[in-house]
Amino acid sequence: MADAAALVAEIEALEAKLAEAKASISRRFIGQERVVELVLGAMLCGGHALLVGLPGLGKTRLVDTLSTVMGLKGNRIQFTPDLMPADILGSEVLDMAADGARAFRFIEGPIFCQLLLADEINRASPRTQSALLQAMQEREVTIAGKHRPLGRPFHVLATQNPIEQEGTYPLPEAQLDRFLVQVDVDYPDRETEREILIATTGAEDAQVHQVFTGEELIAAQGLLRRMPVGDAVVEAILDLVRACRPGEPEGAGLAEVLSWGPGPRAAQALMLTVRARALLSGRLAPSVEDVAALARPVLSHRMQLNFAARARGESLAGVIDRVVTRQMGDGSADWAAQ
């Protein structure tokens, strides 16, 4: 009983700090509360986030603000077609000492940080994109046969242009699956855009303050994994993920729409992100509503429409909403769109 009371107290204290962090972020990144919550939630889960949207919607500004508020050492890499893996990871150079002795010295690349902004990640070639695979999964890189650990915590927040734009390379499925969530950044509404216009064209830019440290974020990630999850939520996660697979009995009919569906990593992502959403909403435990609300961000980059579905004008968002509605009731599609 005492352990439960202590856990509740820890969760409530974390919720207060998260509320302060969100308030600080909103001073520089106006509106787009859902985008902020999804990215913050990904960091609470110890994961990475892929922000998809047109240029000029504030994606880079959000990541820069998060670096300050969360107290993390941040680096930015602008991905371009001529970027090479060594430009990300670093390289060894041959040094000569005063006595003539020679030795290799490793020069760290920008990936050696705690919060990496991979800007326009799909502008680089697949060879360069693959340089992030080991780092995102294992939090280390291997160079010249030596394993080199990265910062703790380590998060990649990548921005991606819509793949219909010229000069982009679609990310491979293995790399997409390493992103905990895909966050679609849309145009702001009129009132939000008015606030942005006034706030960003004055003599001074809004200032934010640090709320977390790296150690506190790691502790928050550990606390999140201790949050209780009810059996109903666990079953809802399993039902949803399995119903999105065209080869499963629960996914009957999806073979006409999907080439493939989400794997077990999608269920793991939902199990973590529903807890983060509950924390950010000031609740002690997640609900089935959280599962529905996170269906699109967690599943959309882990599924693929087939050619026939694309030709008919189908969208992954529409397919996911239909599955959510079928599995969780008529009101769940509205939650997923929130």
Side-chain angles (χ1 to χ4, degrees):
M1 202 69 172
D3 290 343
L7 179 60
V8 169
E10 288 183 62
I11 291 173
E12 290 176 343
L14 177 56
E15 287 172 349
K17 284 186 72 72
L18 289 171
E20 183 184 353
K22 287 165 62 178
S24 185
I25 292 167
S26 66
R27 295 192 185 100
R28 290 195 75 235
F29 189 76
I30 300 169
Q32 302 278 27
E33 289 84 2
R34 177 169 170 78
V35 172
V36 172
E37 288 198 356
L38 285 171
V39 176
L40 260 181
M43 295 179 69
L44 280 173
C45 298
H48 315 291
L50 179 65
L51 287 78
V52 180
L54 294 167
L57 295 179
K59 301 185 296 295
T60 305
R61 186 181 181 90
L62 171 61
V63 177
D64 180 61
T65 303
L66 280 168
S67 176
T68 300
V69 173
M70 305 307 287
L72 303 179
K73 176 191 174 186
N75 280 336
R76 173 182 177 180
I77 303 173
Q78 181 65 50
F79 280 64
T80 56
D82 61 345
L83 191 73
M84 299 298 289
D87 298 326
I88 300 173
L89 305 178
S91 57
E92 289 191 323
V93 297
L94 185 61
D95 280 348
M96 180 180 291
D99 61 358
R102 297 181 179 182
F104 282 103
R105 176 170 59 91
F106 178 68
I107 300 177
E108 293 183 349
I111 200 170
F112 287 88
C113 63
Q114 295 173 307
L115 182 64
L116 179 68
L117 169 57
D119 212 356
E120 297 187 296
I121 189 173
N122 59 335
R123 292 288 186 197
S125 67
R127 176 186 179 187
T128 302
Q129 292 173 6
S130 67
L132 290 174
L133 285 172
Q134 182 186 15
M136 292 175 67
Q137 183 64 30
E138 299 166 23
R139 270 64 174 184
E140 66 175 21
V141 295
T142 304
I143 300 172
K146 184 175 181 180
H147 299 287
R148 301 180 185 273
L150 301 175
R152 292 192 68 244
F154 175 73
H155 301 278
V156 175
L157 302 182
T159 69
Q160 174 176 288
N161 297 305
I163 59 174
E164 293 80 7
Q165 286 195 345
E166 186 176 352
T168 59
Y169 299 85
L171 295 178
E173 291 77 17
Q175 186 160 5
L176 284 172
D177 200 31
R178 281 165 169 76
F179 287 102
L180 192 75
V181 292
Q182 174 179 307
V183 185
D184 294 323
V185 185
D186 297 321
Y187 292 115
D189 58 39
R190 184 182 180 90
E191 187 56 37
T192 299
E193 192 163 4
R194 183 179 186 277
E195 292 182 39
I196 293 171
L197 187 63
I198 294 171
T200 58
T201 58
E204 295 183 0
D205 196 7
Q207 298 298 310
V208 297
H209 66 278
Q210 181 179 337
V211 178
F212 281 83
T213 64
E215 292 75 16
E216 288 173 339
L217 179 56
I218 292 172
Q221 292 167 356
L223 176 60
L224 178 136
R225 289 175 176 265
R226 291 161 52 203
M227 286 181 67
V229 179
D231 289 342
V233 175
V234 175
E235 294 303 319
I237 290 171
L238 290 171
D239 289 344
L240 176 60
V241 171
R242 297 183 67 83
C244 288
R245 296 173 184 162
E248 297 286 350
E250 298 94 330
L254 289 184
E256 301 175 0
V257 181
L258 298 177
S259 296
W260 65 81
R265 192 176 284 167
Q268 294 170 337
L270 278 169
M271 192 73 167
L272 292 172
T273 54
V274 294
R275 291 165 162 154
R277 188 172 190 265
L279 271 175
L280 290 163
S281 302
R283 290 178 279 116
L284 296 175
S287 67
V288 174
E289 178 185 341
D290 294 318
V291 179
L294 290 163
R296 284 192 199 175
V298 171
L299 299 178
S300 59
H301 58 298
R302 294 182 166 97
M303 302 164 62
Q304 179 65 55
L305 292 173
N306 59 32
F307 177 79
R310 292 196 300 271
R312 292 195 303 268
E314 295 263 14
S315 70
L316 278 173
V319 173
I320 292 170
D321 285 352
R322 290 202 300 271
V323 174
V324 169
T325 301
R326 187 177 71 215
Q327 294 299 124
M328 302 181 187
D330 293 337
S332 52
D334 296 332
W335 298 334
Q338 291 175 3

